[in-house]
Amino acid sequence: MIATCEFEAMSQRPILINISRGGLADEFALVTAINENRVSGIGFDVLMSEPATGRQSATFHPRSP
């Protein structure tokens, strides 16, 4: 799983694209990483839980297309 420690270890600001499994990235850690400019953007077609619930989901972030 890609979580807080993995996002903190990234030396550049990557774009995370997840098309595999919804649980691959911790969505709460991902939103935090985006807000802290550790990640440039995101693209995905899977979520931890579907359908997306609540505004805390990464799907509602401005850097999510």
Side-chain angles (χ1 to χ4, degrees):
M1 174 182 269
I2 302 171
T4 302
C5 63
E6 287 78 20
F7 288 120
E8 290 175 352
M10 294 178 183
S11 61
Q12 298 179 2
R13 293 179 48 219
I15 296 173
L16 178 67
I17 299 173
N18 182 8
I19 58 170
S20 61
R21 300 235 181 240
L24 178 70
D26 178 335
E27 287 184 46
F28 297 105
L30 175 58
V31 170
T32 300
I34 293 170
N35 290 337
E36 294 175 351
N37 289 316
R38 294 182 187 276
V39 174
S40 298
I42 55 176
F44 50 87
D45 67 351
V46 293
L47 302 170
M48 287 178 68
S49 63
E50 295 184 22
T53 57
R55 307 277 313 158
Q56 77 278 6
S57 173
T59 58
F60 297 104
H61 199 282
R63 293 190 194 159
S64 172

